[in-house]
């Protein structure tokens, strides 16, 4: 029988890789994990966690405004970008330390190096110039931000990676993209006082989300002073004496101090040696896996964004855990990707779980919609015109709630809890049976009585 150096070699110490390594080691496997950057991966080091800290920071401008209506006089306020970045870095260092400690405590060997596959059982450690072997290899290298490589002046642009470490807070920024990262960073920079423009190639931001959420968020972002330009992309970015100038397809130009791409992320598989090992990749370079995260090569598995299934941290963690339990824990665990609650930390925040109205109408014969938009109680005194929105998508036949879509403060917290009910297959009647918590915005979810009827548009006489 072949002797390997390790039972499991994990490439990439992000959310999925770390979880898989820890659980496999806990089940008794001899495990090593290689990381070329920092243990913790995108989410902890330059993604979800620092992003959320920036979102908190950016909210204070609204909070100071809101305070006036409640009788507070807020003195002169001043924001210091360098303090925020330094404090954020301190917290990220702390979390990075916890991740390293947890791996070590589980008995996982951490190797600080880029790792490249040589064959189905061999990994080359670039920093150490040596090869190691493993019975199984798990690819968990995540994804990396895309930029338009062919754009003239692309070297002047940044991505979310750099946005976390800018030397100075820009006075003006243009962000290209209309997905999670673009809308979240537009809210962050706008809240911090940066003149913010969002440039989206399509007609409406957040493709794939419920239409009502897309329209309402666009309107709320407009109200907050974010300029949203649709149907345009950059044709050129150039340096000027006062910053950068971006030219758009329309020929219009935008002056800015920073130009950021947030146009999606591609699996980080380039130069990883997957071809050498015979691993099948998809069109975007994603590793193709089955429901057990197995690739076509018997000894190689993959979890997280590198597989381009549902590119979210909790999903990667679940996939990593399921892999370790199945392979090393004697439990047969598949991950159900069909219902995934998710939050967008836009301003206002949004939460969504289950089917959008459009998806439901495609799949079910008759769909009932319940929805409401209102100014939350706090805003009656704060004077803020921001609206809160709640929507239930229900299968008329079975009464099952197929989707919930919300916009408003703490939507992320709320959708986590509502996600339980939707995952359990709760019916609208069960939502209605639940006693309301008063006064909250969330009580609307259990008191929505009227089915929404599309307004009847009468033909002109
Ligand atoms: P998304 O896939 O969410 O959005 C990409 C956006 O860029 C879309 O609006 C897309 O337009 C646009 N786009 C794509 N290619 C081009 C191009 N060549 N030129 C112009 N525009 C383009 O990616 P993000 O970068 O926003 O986020 C990456 C991933 O990170 C997401 O998959 C998400 O799962 C994850 N994430 C999750 C967060 C959360 O859970 N809160 C937060 C941040 C990230 P179109 O719609 O026309 O395709």
């Amino acid at each position: 029988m072949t002797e390997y150096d390790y039972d499991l070699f994990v490439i990439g110490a992000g959310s999925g890789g770390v979880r898989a390594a820890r659980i496999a080691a806990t089940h008794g496997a001899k495990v090593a994990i290689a990381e070329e950057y920092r243990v913790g991966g995108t989410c902890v080091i330059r993604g979800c966690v620092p992003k959320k800290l920036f979102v908190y920071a950016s909210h204070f401008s609204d909070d100071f405004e809101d305070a006036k209506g409640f009788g507070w006089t807020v003195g002169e306020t001043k924001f210091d970008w360098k303090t925020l970045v330094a404090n954020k870095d301190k917290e990220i260092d702390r979390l990075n330390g916890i991740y390293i400690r947890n791996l070590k405590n589980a008995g996982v060997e951490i190797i600080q190096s880029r790792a490249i596959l040589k064959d189905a059982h061999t990994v080359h450690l670039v920093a150490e110039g040596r090869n190691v072997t493993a019975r199984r290899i798990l690819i968990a290298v995540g994804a990396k931000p895309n930029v338009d490589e062919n754009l003239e002046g692309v070297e002047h642009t940044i991505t979310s990676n750099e946005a976390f470490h800018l030397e100075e807070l820009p006075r003006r920024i243009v962000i290209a993209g209309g997905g999670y990262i673009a809308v979240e960073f537009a809210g962050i920079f706008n809240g911090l006082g940066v003149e913010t423009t969002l440039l989206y190639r399509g007609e409406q931001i957040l493709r794939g989300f419920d239409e009502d959420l897309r329209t309402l968020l666009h309107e709320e972002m407009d109200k907050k002073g974010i300029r949203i330009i649709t149907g345009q992309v950059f044709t050129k970015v150039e340096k000027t004496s006062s910053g950068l100038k971006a030219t758009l397809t329309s020929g219009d130009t935008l002056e800015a101090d920073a130009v950021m791409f947030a146009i999606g992320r591609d699996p980080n598989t380039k130069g990883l040696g997957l071809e050498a090992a015979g691993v099948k990749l998809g069109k975007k370079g994603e590793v193709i896996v089955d429901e057990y995260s197995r690739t076509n090569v018997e000894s190689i598995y993959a979890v997280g964004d590198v597989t381009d299934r549902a590119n979210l941290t909790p999903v990667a963690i679940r996939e990593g855990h399921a892999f370790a339990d199945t392979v090393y824990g004697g439990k047969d665990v598949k991950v159900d990707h069909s219902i995934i609650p998710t939050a967008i930390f836009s301003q206002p925040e949004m939460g969504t779980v289950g089917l959008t109205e459009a998806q439901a109408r495609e799949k079910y014969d008759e769909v009932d919609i319940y929805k409401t938009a209102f100014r939350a109680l706090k805003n009656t005194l704060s004077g803020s015109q921001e609206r809160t929105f709640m929507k239930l998508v229900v299968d008329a036949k079975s009464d099952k709630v197929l989707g919930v879509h919300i916009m408003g403060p703490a939507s992320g917290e709320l959708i986590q809890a509502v996600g339980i009910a939707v995952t359990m297959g709760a019916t609208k009647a069960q939502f209605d049976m639940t006693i309301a918590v008063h006064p909250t915005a969330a009580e609307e979810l259990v008191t929505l009585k009227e089915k929404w009827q599309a307004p009847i548009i009468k033909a002109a006489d």
Side-chain angles (χ1 to χ4, degrees), residues 51 178-181 184 200-201 207 262-265 311-312 343:
K51 178 274 309 286
Y180 278 93
I181 298 181
E184 290 183 345
Y200 176 51
R201 67 177 175 181
R207 188 164 59 84
I263 58 168
R265 297 169 62 89
N311 299 329
L312 296 164

Side-chain angles (χ1 to χ4, degrees), residues 4-13 17-18 20-22 24-25 28-35 39 103-104 106-113 115 123 125 128 130 132-140 323 328:
Y4 296 106
D5 298 323
Y6 301 99
D7 297 320
L8 173 66
F9 195 95
V10 180
I11 306 182
V18 166
R22 267 201 315 113
K30 185 180 180 199
V31 185
I33 190 165
E35 171 58 51
V39 172
L103 281 169
K104 286 186 176 162
V108 177
E109 182 183 338
I110 303 171
I111 300 170
Q112 190 68 51
S113 171
V123 172
L125 302 173
E128 303 184 3
R130 67 183 173 104
V132 292
T133 60
R135 165 77 186 87
R136 290 188 184 86
I137 296 168
L138 178 70
I139 311 296
F323 154 78
Y328 298 102

Side-chain angles (χ1 to χ4, degrees), residues 289-308:
V289 289
D290 68 8
E291 57 201 352
Y292 288 102
S293 297
R294 291 183 294 216
T295 71
N296 60 309
V297 177
E298 191 263 333
S299 58
I300 302 180
Y301 294 69
V303 295
D305 287 7
V306 76
T307 63
D308 199 28

Side-chain angles (χ1 to χ4, degrees), residues 166 168-174 189-190 192-197 242-243 255-258:
L166 292 174
E168 304 286 340
L169 183 67
R171 198 166 58 75
R172 304 154 300 177
I173 192 165
V174 184
F189 283 117
N190 182 61
L192 296 178
V194 178
E195 197 184 302
T196 304
T197 304
S242 59
E255 304 276 338
D257 304 295

